[in-house]
Amino acid sequence: MSWIITETRQLDEKASDRLGNKFLVGNGYIGYRGTLEEHAKERKTATIAAGLYDQAGEGLWREPVNLPNGGFLELVYQGRPLRAHAGPVEEHSQSLDLRHAVHERMTVFTAEDGNRITLRAKRFVSATRRHLFCAQYVVETSRDCELIIHTGIDGDVWDLNGPHLRDFITAVDDPLISISARTGEKGIPVSVCEYFVCPGRNHVFLTEERRILREFLLQTRAGQPYTLVKFAAIHTGVDTPDPPAAGRSLCWEAIRTGFDALLKDHRQYWEARWTDCDLQILGDSRAQLALRFSLYHLLAIAPVETDTVSIPARGLSGQVYKGGIFWDTEIFMLPFFAHEFPEIARNLLMYRFRTLEGARRKAREYGYRGAFYAWESQDTGDDACTLYNITDIHTGRPMRTYFRDKQIHISADIPYAIGEYFSITGDDSLLLEGGAEVVYECARFFLSYLHYSPDRKQYEFLDVTGPDEYHERVHNNAYTNWMAAHTFALCLRVAAHLQKHHPAPAKALLQKLGFRKDLEAIRKTVRKIYQPAADPRTSVIPQFDGYLQLEDPPLAELLRLRSDPREYLGGGNGLASNTQILKQADVILALCLFPERFARETVSANWEYYEPRTEQGSSLSACSYSIAAAGIGKLAEAYEFFMTAASLDLDGDPKQYVGPLYIGGTHPAASGGAWMAAVSGLCGIRWSGKLLTIDPRLPAPWSEVRLPLLIRGDRLQIVITRKDVTLRPMQPLQHKVRVRIRRKVRTLPRQGTLTVEYGAPEWRS
Ligand code: BGC
C-alpha cells in the first residue's frame, strides 16, 4: 500500500512542468524528468548526469548540461503525431512505483476515424547499471492499421543558459544509433547511444544535426498488443574516457541481458534500499505516501558510487539554481543518509573535501584565510553564485544580492554535518581522510572573519547574511554566531580525538596546514564568541542586532503591498528588508540544531514570535517549524508543517519564479526535512552522540510508526505505538546503546527487545 503515485490530469504546460519533477526517475547518476515519451524541449524534457557542468559563454550562468534525450518516442497515425497534451485522448495516466522506481504511462488516443490507439510505456534508469536507461512499450490499436513509430535521440534540448553542446556527431552502427558531442567550455565528450527493437518493417533512419531517429512502419491487427524495447546508454567524459565506446558496449550488454532481467535486478536493488530505510506510518495513508515519495526522491538522486559529486538543491531535475550544491545537503538531507545509508552520507561529505581547494580560493578572494565554501558549489568548488543573482521583476535589471559574499554560515554548516556524521556513525575514517582538514580550514576562516567588540568584550560576526535571505548584511545573526562557535568547539574536539586515537596523522595534519597557532587561538576564542541570548523578559532571541526594532507589519499586509506576486521581498528595496518579516526559519532552525541548549519555554516563545512573521518562502523552512512545534506540544501544527514539507513536490504549490527567474524543480531539502520532521519531530527521536532519546508525539491518525535506524553501525528497529516504544537490534549490538524514554535511561539489551510504555501526549487540532 501507499507505493504508487498516479496522475490523470489534463496536461497543460504548467501541469506538465510539475509532473516532470514529480515523476522523475533517477539513480544518483542520471536524473530523467517525468515528461512523456513524445515530449521535446518545449515540455522541459531533461536528462541530467551528476557532476557535468558547462558555461555557454561569458555572462551566462554555468549550469548542468542537459544531455540528448535518448527516451524519445512518438506514434504517427494518418500523418499526425499522437501527443497526449494535444489530444484527442480518451484516457491518460502517468504513474510512478516508488518501491521499484519504475515510471509508467498509458494513453488511449482517439483518431478521427474512430481508431483507438493505446500506448503503454514503462521506463527506469537502472540502479545496477547507472548509465543505462531502459524502456518497454506496448502498442495496441482497435482497428487493423498502419502506425509509424519514431524513436531515437533528440539532441535539441531545453536549456536555461545554453546551448552547452557543440560538434554533434550522429551515427548509425546498426542496430545502434548514437549522438556524441562536446561541451562548449571544456570540450568534455558526451554520448547517448540507443538500441531499439520493434516488430515493424521498413526501418529507416532520419538524421538532422542534433537528432537521430528511426522510423518503423508497424502493420497492426486490431486488439493485438505489440511490444517494443529501448535501451539508451548515457556517458560523459567526466567518468568515462571514451563515452561513445562505453555507450556501445553498455547497449550490447543490455541486449544480451534483456529488458526483463534488467528490470528484475533494478527492482531487487530498490527493494533492498527500502528495507533499510522505509519508515512505515500506520493509520495515515496520505502521510505514508508523502513520506515515501520524499524518500524516493532522495534515493533517486543520491550519489552511491562516487564521492566527487553531491546533491544539488534541485536534485537532478534540471538546470535550476545552476545545479549548485547548497547548505541544503548538509543541514537538511544528511541526517537521513547518516542514519540510513552512512556510505552515501560519507560520499556527500567527501565531496566537500574534494572541493576544498575551491573554498580556499574563495576565502582568499575575499581576503580571508581557511575555507569559505561556495554558496552554490559545482564540480570545482568555485562559487557559481553570481553577485547579481536575482532580476527585478519591474525593471528587468539584475539585483545585487549578497548570498555569495555574506552567507558565511555555509562554512559552519559543513563542519556541523561532519560532526553529526561522526556522532551518528562513529566512523572517524572520514576525519582522517579529509573531514578534519575541512573542519580546521572552516574554523580558520571564522577566525579570520571575527571582530573583537571592546564594548561586549566578545567576538562578533559583523556584516553577514543568515538563513533568512531577506535581511542581508546584518550583524550577529544568531544562527551564524552559534554555528561558528560550534565550528570552533568541533574543531577542538576533532583535534583532541585525533590526538588521542591517531597521533601520527593528527600531527602530520597540523603540520601540513601549519595549524598549531590557529588551534591555540581557537582555544582562546571559543568561549568568547557573542551568542545572542533570549531576552529575559520575553524569551525571544533576536535574529540579529536591531532585528526587534524593525517595523513589524503583519505578513498578510506586507504581501498585499506587492505589485506582482513574483516580486522579490528582499534586497535593497525589498518590502521585507526593513521589517521583521523573514523568508524562512532562522532562529527556529538554530533551536532545532541545538536541541539540548534551550528550555521548552524558550522554544515556545520563539516559535510563537517567529512563526507569524515567517513567509515560508523557502522549501527549507517548514521542517524546522514542524520539529520545533512537536517539541513544544503543538502537534497539529507539527503535523501540518511536516505534511507541507513531505508533499511539496507531490501535490504542493512550490514557488516557480523569483522575479522572472524560473526556479522550478524538485526540492530534496524539503524531502530530507520531511524525514527529520517525522523522526526527530513527531517520533521525538534524537541521538546526542551518547544517548538516544525517544519522546514520541504521534499525530492522532498515526496508530503506529516503524522505522529502521542505524546508530554507530548498529541497526535498530524502532516501533512506536500510541502506548509504547519497542526497540529491537537487528543483529546483536556491537556497542552499548543507552536510551531515554520518559526521562528514564535504560541500556538496550544486546539482543531481544526493549518495550517501554509512555503516555501519548494529547492531540489538539
Ligand atoms: C533559500 C536558501 C536555499 C536555496 C536553495 C533559497 O531560496 O533561501 O536557503 O539554500 O534556496 O534551496
Side-chain angles (χ1 to χ4, degrees):
M1 289 292 286
S2 303
W3 284 109
I4 313 268
I5 57 167
T6 307
E7 185 70 53
T8 51
R9 259 191 301 172
Q10 281 304 306
L11 295 165
D12 64 54
E13 195 177 330
K14 209 168 147 210
S16 118
D17 284 1
R18 298 222 171 131
L19 301 187
N21 301 320
K22 178 168 167 175
F23 288 102
L24 175 130
V25 287
N27 60 15
Y29 174 64
I30 297 167
Y32 187 85
R33 281 176 66 79
T35 46
L36 299 180
E37 286 56 31
E38 63 271 28
H39 282 165
K41 65 178 183 184
E42 299 72 29
R43 290 276 162 161
K44 302 193 172 59
T45 47
T47 312
I48 303 292
L52 179 67
Y53 296 89
D54 178 72
Q55 184 172 22
E58 200 51 35
L60 286 171
W61 287 359
R62 196 164 187 270
E63 62 188 13
V65 176
N66 186 3
L67 294 168
N69 175 15
F72 179 80
L73 176 133
E74 76 179 0
L75 304 179
V76 181
Y77 180 63
Q78 295 183 332
R80 236 194 70 220
L82 304 180
R83 298 191 174 135
H85 58 270
V89 159
E90 186 181 295
E91 217 184 313
H92 173 77
S93 71
Q94 230 183 313
S95 66
L96 183 62
D97 170 359
L98 304 172
R99 188 162 159 79
H100 301 110
V102 177
H103 175 270
E104 295 195 29
R105 80 77 74 93
M106 195 279 300
T107 308
V108 182
F109 299 95
T110 37
E112 272 172 19
D113 64 356
N115 194 2
R116 295 164 71 249
I117 300 152
T118 306
L119 171 66
R120 287 173 212 280
K122 195 185 268 194
R123 75 166 84 114
F124 61 94
V125 285
S126 169
T128 55
R129 293 154 178 89
R130 292 191 193 267
H131 295 262
L132 189 64
F133 169 101
C134 307
Q136 188 185 59
Y137 314 87
V138 179
V139 179
E140 199 180 313
T141 57
S142 64
R143 298 184 176 181
D144 291 1
C145 71
E146 242 179 33
L147 258 190
I148 289 178
I149 298 168
H150 287 153
T151 171
I153 312 167
D154 180 6
D156 187 13
V157 297
W158 165 54
D159 276 319
L160 294 180
N161 291 278
H164 294 290
L165 296 175
R166 57 175 160 90
D167 306 341
F168 279 81
I169 300 173
T170 51
V172 176
D173 183 4
D174 216 6
L176 309 180
I177 57 175
S178 65
I179 291 191
S180 359
R182 287 183 178 279
T183 60
E185 179 192 351
K186 294 189 176 169
I188 298 172
V190 307
S191 138
V192 178
C193 181
E194 192 231 33
Y195 166 80
F196 195 81
V197 59
C198 173
R201 308 179 278 109
N202 287 2
H203 171 190
V204 293
F205 298 103
L206 312 170
T207 45
E208 297 163 22
E209 195 211 342
R210 291 166 182 231
R211 248 156 91 101
I212 176 159
L213 303 182
R214 315 163 194 257
E215 180 174 280
F216 291 93
L217 191 65
L218 185 64
Q219 205 71 55
T220 67
R221 303 292 302 267
Q224 170 152 355
Y226 296 87
T227 301
L228 330 167
V229 167
K230 175 194 280 256
F231 299 127
I234 299 152
H235 290 86
T236 83
V238 171
D239 26 54
T240 320
D242 183 350
R248 283 191 296 275
S249 118
L250 182 57
C251 274
W252 278 112
E253 187 198 329
I255 295 166
R256 284 192 302 273
T257 313
F259 182 86
D260 290 343
L262 289 165
L263 178 60
K264 192 168 161 221
D265 286 357
H266 173 77
R267 286 168 59 100
Q268 275 173 358
Y269 179 96
W270 270 86
E271 282 182 14
R273 288 264 121 168
W274 281 110
T275 306
D276 287 343
C277 73
D278 188 27
L279 191 156
Q280 296 175 46
I281 302 171
L282 279 62
D284 187 350
S285 53
R286 216 178 119 237
Q288 175 73 86
L289 185 68
L291 187 62
R292 282 198 177 131
F293 174 81
S294 300
L295 302 191
Y296 162 82
H297 272 281
L298 287 174
L299 294 175
I301 54 176
V304 180
E305 286 168 7
T306 171
D307 62 13
T308 58
V309 300
S310 179
I311 304 180
R314 288 289 180 269
L316 298 176
S317 64
Q319 297 162 323
V320 165
Y321 282 157
K322 312 174 192 100
I325 290 111
F326 291 62
W327 68 311
D328 303 32
T329 316
E330 280 76 16
I331 297 298
F332 300 93
M333 301 178 218
L334 195 105
F336 164 73
F337 289 113
H339 272 300
E340 306 296 12
F341 301 103
E343 66 291 353
I344 294 178
R346 195 176 199 287
N347 287 343
L348 297 174
L349 294 171
M350 282 304 287
Y351 160 81
R352 293 299 191 173
F353 175 59
R354 309 244 173 263
T355 50
L356 179 57
E357 266 324 302
R360 288 188 172 119
R361 275 194 293 277
K362 180 172 167 187
R364 278 200 300 276
E365 177 195 334
Y366 283 94
Y368 299 108
R369 299 165 62 232
F372 182 7
Y373 272 93
W375 183 241
E376 303 181 16
S377 182
Q378 301 177 331
D379 46 350
T380 60
D382 291 296
D383 209 331
C385 185
T386 51
L387 298 182
Y388 292 79
N389 220 34
I390 285 181
T391 304
D392 181 35
I393 190 75
H394 304 300
T395 61
R397 288 193 190 139
M399 290 165 73
R400 179 68 164 100
T401 49
Y402 292 88
F403 310 150
R404 182 193 206 271
D405 325 48
K406 300 295 173 188
Q407 282 204 60
I408 60 168
H409 66 81
I410 178 71
S411 279
D413 303 324
I414 293 164
Y416 182 92
I418 292 175
E420 286 298 286
Y421 172 86
F422 179 44
S423 148
I424 294 168
T425 64
D427 167 26
D428 68 0
S429 71
L430 175 80
L431 298 178
L432 293 166
E433 285 167 38
E437 191 165 337
V438 169
V439 173
Y440 290 180
E441 289 290 50
C442 288
R444 181 180 254 171
F445 165 71
F446 286 115
L447 204 53
S448 69
Y449 199 98
L450 43 74
H451 294 262
Y452 184 70
S453 157
D455 295 339
R456 284 200 168 114
K457 298 197 174 35
Q458 278 179 311
Y459 291 95
E460 301 186 321
F461 290 96
L462 306 180
D463 196 9
V464 304
T465 302
D468 163 27
E469 293 181 341
Y470 290 165
H471 294 94
E472 298 187 301
R473 312 200 66 167
V474 299
H475 299 330
N476 293 314
N477 165 252
Y479 177 90
T480 305
N481 286 28
W482 293 342
M483 290 293 278
H486 172 270
T487 307
F488 281 176
L490 178 72
C491 169
L492 296 175
R493 277 209 306 279
V494 167
H497 174 90
L498 293 185
Q499 180 57 38
K500 183 164 170 203
H501 299 281
H502 308 280
K507 191 169 161 205
L509 183 60
L510 291 178
Q511 243 157 25
K512 174 180 139 189
L513 302 180
F515 198 63
R516 274 185 205 287
K517 268 200 185 146
D518 290 308
L519 203 57
E520 218 21 69
I522 288 167
R523 206 166 273 136
K524 287 193 185 133
T525 317
V526 67
R527 287 186 200 291
K528 293 195 201 137
I529 291 179
Y530 168 57
Q531 300 190 51
D535 180 303
R537 221 169 21 89
T538 61
S539 292
V540 173
I541 299 163
Q543 191 177 294
F544 49 83
D545 288 355
Y547 168 80
L548 295 170
Q549 282 74 55
L550 294 176
E551 286 173 33
D552 194 17
L555 174 61
E557 199 172 281
L558 183 117
L559 293 178
R560 265 200 301 278
L561 296 175
R562 291 177 304 185
S563 42
D564 186 303
R566 291 170 300 169
E567 182 174 320
Y568 184 59
L569 299 180
N573 301 316
L575 285 172
S577 304
N578 58 351
T579 74
Q580 294 186 38
I581 299 299
L582 46 145
K583 180 177 179 187
Q584 64 200 91
D586 194 305
V587 167
I588 296 300
L589 169 61
L591 298 179
C592 296
L593 297 185
F594 301 107
E596 67 291 347
R597 278 200 212 163
F598 300 94
R600 187 184 160 120
E601 296 66 49
T602 311
V603 179
S604 185
N606 282 280
W607 199 97
E608 299 296 349
Y609 193 84
Y610 282 108
E611 194 275 335
R613 291 169 175 81
T614 307
E615 189 217 355
Q616 307 294 347
S618 158
S619 62
L620 278 50
S621 194
C623 66
S624 305
Y625 277 94
S626 172
I627 297 169
I632 55 174
K634 292 178 89 74
L635 301 191
E637 289 84 348
Y639 180 69
E640 217 167 282
F641 277 116
F642 156 74
M643 283 302 287
T644 302
S647 45
L648 190 67
D649 292 326
L650 183 63
D651 50 21
D653 188 17
K655 262 191 199 171
Q656 299 291 307
Y657 286 92
V658 171
L661 180 71
Y662 174 67
I663 56 160
T666 58
H667 297 80
S671 303
W675 185 88
M676 290 160 71
V679 175
S680 23
L682 299 167
C683 294
I685 301 176
R686 285 179 200 274
W687 170 246
S688 74
K690 290 193 180 112
L691 185 65
L692 182 66
T693 305
I694 308 185
D695 181 11
R697 308 96 177 205
L698 299 193
W702 296 16
S703 56
E704 189 173 317
V705 173
R706 299 180 195 153
L707 76 147
L709 203 73
L710 264 170
I711 289 176
R712 288 192 294 168
D714 286 316
R715 194 176 287 280
L716 309 178
Q717 180 70 25
I718 303 178
V719 179
I720 304 175
T721 68
R722 302 202 68 77
K723 193 162 75 48
D724 52 32
V725 177
T726 301
L727 291 118
R728 186 166 59 83
M730 313 281 272
Q731 290 97 31
L733 292 178
Q734 307 159 48
H735 301 97
K736 190 164 154 186
V737 179
R738 291 166 65 242
V739 196
R740 182 169 61 199
I741 303 170
R742 296 239 84 201
R743 290 191 205 97
K744 196 159 169 217
V745 177
R746 299 168 173 84
T747 300
L748 202 59
R750 268 195 81 231
Q751 300 187 44
T753 59
L754 171 72
T755 299
V756 181
E757 284 205 7
Y758 76 98
E762 199 189 323
W763 161 273
R764 287 174 291 108
S765 68

